[in-house]
Amino acid sequence: MLMKKEYNHKNLIQTIGLGVLSLLLAALYLSLCFNRNIWTDEAFTVDLLNSYHSFGEIAAYTATDVHPPLYYWILKCFTDVFGVRLLLLKLLSVLPMFLLFLFGGLYVKKRFGFRTALLFILFTAAIPCSMEYAVQVRMYAWCMLFVTGAGFAAFDAYETGRIRSFLLLTLCGVCAAYSHYFAFAAILWIHGFLFLSLLVRFFRTKENRAGAGKALLFWLGTVLLSLLCYAPWMPYFAKQLKGVSASYWIPEITGDVMFDYLRWPFASDYPGVVILCQCLFAAAFLVLLVRLCVRHTKEDAAAFSALLVPVLVVLTGIVMSRLIRPVFIIRYVMPSIPLLCFFAAVVFSGFPKSAYAMLLIFLVFLTGLDYRCTYYDEYQATYTDRTLDFLVENCREDDLIVYNYRIYDFIYQCYFDSEQLRYIEDVDFGAESGRMWFLRTVYQPAPDASMLAENGWSMQYVGDFGIEQNEFWIYQLDRE
Amino acid sequence: MAAFLLAGLAAAFFVCRNGSLGRNVMHACATTDQTFQTGPLTGAANAVQQFRADYGHLTSLELIFRKPDNASGTVRVAVYDENGTMYAETYRELASLRSDVYESFALNAELIPGNLYYFMVEAFGEGENAPALVYRPLILDRIDENQVFYYDGAAIGGASGACRYLYRLPLTKLQIGCYTAFCLFAALCFGSFVCLGIDWVKALLHKKSEVLLRSGSNE
């Protein structure tokens, strides 16, 4: 009785500990949201939410793009209430990360123990690629939640055979498939592993064959239900596939590109981090292989399957790129990254206490380094704030903001009033009379000095500015 | 195990002292998009750029050349301070350089941030096919950072060599903590495996000796 009480007390403390850690990490992520910095794809999201006002319109528009619509629908639910605000959109990417830390951690604790749960949360937070994508106004954070949820639900379904685990697998799987196609690929592989495991158990088991058969039937039901839920999007998927086959922006997958896949999840401004992380994951892989040869536990089998999911997603991307045209870029593996972290967590949780403690310290420092890099990227890497502050202070309502870098057109539109914004070649210098702020990007068209002089314009350099990755010089144009 | 811990600490000390894991920062001077080129670079007619060091360790310098396809010989890049003391020099074969792209010259010079230095570019043995260095007009408010550009001893006003400076920053406390923790983790893991191996061998030997003893007592 006393032991049970002690166990419950310890269990409670561990649960609270994981909750607090999840909150702390979410707060860390939250602190990266208070800026006006967005990149091209994020600008696309903002533009879409500003331009299309109903769920149907959003679905119709995304059907002409390359991603499924669920992420935009989720945002829509919130922007309908609070309006399209950049901070809100960023917070909506931190939310799934918090849920991933919290529920992922708690589930892993329940099935694999506290040590594994702690490592899972820290690995997911510390792996350099995760912090960058967790605060972007894109679907990756939600996909990570859905794919990880599906992975854990599949393990639970195998372990317990409970119908609610199969239902959770269906829900997470469908959500993932409606969010990103390579999250969909991860879900297909998870279903494949679950089916294989259930099939092997069915043929091996002698005592509870009926139970194993029932689990297989549940799995079949899950697949059918998922297909049913996905059926409405299938025609659009086919249309998108056709569109992508005709043209797409992703470069060809060469040997160098594939080699870079090994570096990408750990890429950091700090050169040592990549090597250390590569060593760590390579060591985890070797240890797991040895353990699988020596003994065969369900934990190790789960870790191996979890490792295979991102690997197979990448292989799927490569094969599809060979068959259709280049459609895969390494960040599309992002939804499966928490499963990679889960694999490492399972492997290292069995290590001796002192090594385990040192690994925790390493991961805390790694999170710190990762935070510094992301903080720099979000707050200091661009001139966005400086530019916006300058123009808010100096640009009058009747001034024009003229730019010469056409492909940044829709990014400028996220920041400036479209009435004031004008492409350089659309400006009639003979007719205009007000003041202009010229955002001059190097190597792009600029007005001829003699033409300006003829029309009575003077051009004065103001300073170095920029929006997102686009750096430019601002010139003030006045008509004398 | 203590021995492995010490080994881990020693490894961490070595890694952190080495400094090669420091963060790299690239600095490009603010120039316009117009490009010009110097006259032919030779041992006598060289190009010199005055610059202010942003950080302490200048890893490399990237420069843009223009050269005929059949150019041969060697390009020398050296860094000096105002007193003419040389801090670093490096050579590259002309044949290995491409035109109109940044080419890297490893220097690893230890400089004092904020101080003025010069880098000099000259070419040897090029015969009649000498290379030229590309330079660009400076943005007016940035004239201070890449102060004067000279070719053949004459200053070219408002110009800067088309160059980029790659600096390596010293390790931060976070980095030192991270690398130290990793080294200790690796050492402890290795130590644990060695201890496991020793225990396994001991158990094996113990088993064997027991078998031998038993067989001896049976005889």
Side-chain angles (χ1 to χ4, degrees), chain A residues 269-273 276 280 348 351-352 354-355 358-359 361-362 365 368-369 372 383 440 442-443 461 464 473, chain B residues 21-24 30-33 136 139 141-142 172-175 177-179 181-182 184-185 188-189 192-193:
Chain A
D269 287 353
Y270 299 97
V273 167
L276 297 190
L280 200 65
F348 289 122
F351 272 41
S354 52
M358 210 42 79
L359 181 61
I361 295 172
F362 168 69
F365 275 112
L369 283 180
R372 270 187 77 149
Y383 291 123
R440 185 186 173 186
V442 74
Y443 305 128
Y461 170 80
D464 291 11
W473 309 306
Chain B
L21 296 178
R23 193 157 72 93
N24 293 318
T31 56
T32 69
D33 51 345
R136 290 173 175 161
I139 301 289
D141 75 331
R142 290 287 189 85
T172 61
K173 281 174 194 152
L174 264 179
Q175 278 175 291
C178 187
Y179 301 150
F182 186 85
L184 290 176
F185 165 70
L188 287 169
C189 287
S192 304
F193 286 129

Side-chain angles (χ1 to χ4, degrees), chain A residues 120-328:
Chain A
F120 168 70
I121 294 177
L122 281 175
F123 262 115
T124 309
I127 194 165
C129 61
S130 89
M131 206 176 281
E132 183 189 348
Y133 285 93
V135 290
Q136 283 193 4
V137 189
R138 296 300 287 160
M139 65 285 287
Y140 298 107
W142 286 97
C143 289
M144 284 158 83
L145 177 68
F146 296 143
V147 170
T148 313
F152 290 162
F155 181 76
D156 210 54
Y158 176 78
E159 276 290 290
T160 63
R162 284 184 306 197
I163 195 157
R164 73 170 187 206
S165 306
F166 283 97
L167 284 176
L168 183 65
L169 171 60
T170 311
L171 179 71
C172 289
V174 170
C175 286
Y178 266 103
S179 300
H180 197 285
Y181 290 125
F182 282 93
F184 188 10
I187 296 298
L188 291 180
W189 286 112
I190 288 170
H191 270 291
F193 286 131
L194 178 61
F195 173 67
L196 271 181
S197 316
L198 292 173
L199 203 65
V200 168
R201 189 165 70 182
F202 179 74
F203 284 113
R204 273 194 181 167
T205 188
K206 279 171 188 161
E207 295 116 30
N208 189 16
R209 189 161 265 216
K214 199 172 132 192
L216 268 172
L217 276 179
F218 278 163
W219 174 82
L220 193 64
T222 303
V223 171
L224 289 176
L225 188 59
S226 303
L227 280 176
L228 198 69
C229 293
Y230 206 63
W233 188 252
M234 277 307 217
Y236 300 107
F237 172 58
K239 200 174 145 189
Q240 286 178 328
L241 196 65
K242 209 173 156 189
V244 164
S245 311
S247 74
Y248 202 37
W249 59 272
I250 290 178
E252 199 182 337
I253 299 177
T254 59
D256 284 347
V257 172
M258 281 194 266
F259 188 71
D260 193 56
Y261 291 170
L262 298 172
R263 192 191 64 85
W264 180 84
F266 320 116
S268 163
D269 287 353
Y270 299 97
V273 167
V274 182
I275 304 160
L276 297 190
C277 289
Q278 283 174 333
C279 290
L280 200 65
F281 279 81
F285 178 63
L286 287 178
V287 170
L288 184 65
L289 278 189
V290 172
R291 276 190 354 201
L292 283 172
C293 293
V294 175
R295 54 173 205 191
H296 192 82
T297 63
K298 61 183 181 191
E299 285 83 6
D300 288 344
F304 191 61
S305 309
L307 167 68
L308 284 182
V309 172
V311 172
L312 289 171
V313 166
V314 172
L315 284 178
T316 308
I318 294 170
V319 170
M320 282 181 69
S321 298
R322 296 269 177 214
L323 292 178
I324 310 169
R325 60 175 296 121
V327 288
F328 180 75

Side-chain angles (χ1 to χ4, degrees), chain A residues 336-358:
Chain A
S336 318
I337 287 294
L339 292 180
L340 186 74
C341 298
F342 170 72
F343 138 77
V346 171
V347 172
F348 289 122
S349 62
F351 272 41
K353 252 185 187 173
S354 52
Y356 177 83
M358 210 42 79

Side-chain angles (χ1 to χ4, degrees), chain A residues 31-169:
Chain A
S31 69
L32 296 166
C33 295
F34 299 93
N35 58 73
R36 292 174 280 186
N37 213 20
I38 52 170
W39 69 290
T40 318
D41 284 13
E42 293 177 290
F44 173 84
T45 308
V46 176
D47 185 49
L48 186 143
L49 290 166
N50 278 324
S51 312
Y52 298 93
H53 302 293
S54 74
F55 288 90
E57 278 179 349
I58 288 175
Y61 182 69
T62 41
T64 62
D65 186 44
V66 291
H67 295 302
L70 181 65
Y71 172 66
Y72 306 112
W73 283 343
I74 295 172
L75 295 190
K76 179 82 189 136
C77 293
F78 289 88
T79 53
D80 271 355
V81 181
F82 301 104
V84 182
R85 294 165 197 275
L86 201 52
L87 178 63
L88 171 75
L89 300 182
K90 286 184 182 237
L91 293 183
L92 285 173
S93 290
V94 176
L95 176 68
M97 288 310 288
F98 171 65
L99 297 177
L100 174 63
F101 291 140
L102 186 66
F103 292 116
L106 291 180
Y107 177 77
V108 174
K109 176 181 167 288
K110 189 178 161 193
R111 291 275 166 219
F112 299 87
F114 175 70
R115 283 168 62 119
T116 314
L118 193 56
L119 275 185
F120 168 70
I121 294 177
L122 281 175
F123 262 115
T124 309
I127 194 165
C129 61
S130 89
M131 206 176 281
E132 183 189 348
Y133 285 93
V135 290
Q136 283 193 4
V137 189
R138 296 300 287 160
M139 65 285 287
Y140 298 107
W142 286 97
C143 289
M144 284 158 83
L145 177 68
F146 296 143
V147 170
T148 313
F152 290 162
F155 181 76
D156 210 54
Y158 176 78
E159 276 290 290
T160 63
R162 284 184 306 197
I163 195 157
R164 73 170 187 206
S165 306
F166 283 97
L167 284 176
L168 183 65
L169 171 60

